[in-house]
Amino acid sequence: MGSVQTAYAASIDRAYAGQLYGLNPNRTVTYLAETTVITPGIVVTEGTTPAQAVKGGDAGVWGGIVVRRLDTEGNVTTNAIEYEVGEAMNVMQWGDIYVDLANTGSKGDPIFYTDTTGVISAGTASTGQTQITNGVLAEDVAAAGIALIRIKEGV
């Protein structure tokens, strides 16, 4: 008797933006979202109070990268996860995490974020962008998309 199913069209992604990598050590803290549409995998900085965070920011106190929480799954149609004003967010300050990288790069390249959006890219920051201290790509990235980054303790 032959095989009934010989191909599988569905598969899961290798990772999602904001997903922590393995069981590696990290430092994760909690902030309240001060602004809307804060999504996992972007940089946030301290808001108007030390307990709040806003996306991006050029002169703010480093908050970290928003972590994807399993108990906060997104819209069934769009799969978008967005933290609303006042909602608690887990934020990784150092460790290994997946992000939706805006460009390509090589393992060890420095990383930065766009001040207005918090979106992360590889390379050297320019106007409107902020370098992430002790942050590097943890793998080679041939196309924009999900990439593993590493932020060493001491940010």
Side-chain angles (χ1 to χ4, degrees), residues 2 30 49 76 84 92 106 124 150-151:
T30 301
T49 71
V76 175
E84 298 298 325
M92 187 201 79
S106 299
T124 303
R150 175 169 293 128
I151 301 174

Side-chain angles (χ1 to χ4, degrees), residues 7-37:
Y8 300 93
S11 65
I12 61 171
D13 294 329
R14 84 179 180 109
Y16 297 98
Q19 179 180 328
L20 296 173
Y21 176 73
L23 298 174
N24 291 1
N26 65 68
R27 180 168 193 239
T28 304
V29 297
T30 301
Y31 283 101
L32 299 176
E34 185 174 322
T35 56
T36 57
V37 193

Side-chain angles (χ1 to χ4, degrees), residues 78-95:
T78 65
N79 199 32
I81 297 174
E82 299 172 348
Y83 293 97
E84 298 298 325
V85 173
E87 191 172 357
M89 305 178 293
N90 293 336
V91 176
M92 187 201 79
Q93 295 186 322
W94 57 262

Side-chain angles (χ1 to χ4, degrees), residues 40 67-75 80-83 87-88:
V67 174
R68 181 183 178 96
R69 291 187 350 215
L70 296 178
D71 63 341
T72 312
E73 286 306 314
N75 180 296
I81 297 174
E82 299 172 348
Y83 293 97
E87 191 172 357

Side-chain angles (χ1 to χ4, degrees), residues 43-113:
V43 170
V44 292
T45 55
E46 194 174 282
T48 54
T49 71
Q52 296 177 306
V54 297
K55 66 180 171 182
D58 60 347
V61 174
W62 170 257
I65 299 173
V66 180
V67 174
R68 181 183 178 96
R69 291 187 350 215
L70 296 178
D71 63 341
T72 312
E73 286 306 314
N75 180 296
V76 175
T77 306
T78 65
N79 199 32
I81 297 174
E82 299 172 348
Y83 293 97
E84 298 298 325
V85 173
E87 191 172 357
M89 305 178 293
N90 293 336
V91 176
M92 187 201 79
Q93 295 186 322
W94 57 262
D96 297 345
I97 191 167
Y98 288 99
V99 298
D100 192 1
L101 197 71
N103 62 352
T104 63
S106 299
K107 182 176 181 177
D109 282 353
I111 54 175
F112 64 88
Y113 66 92

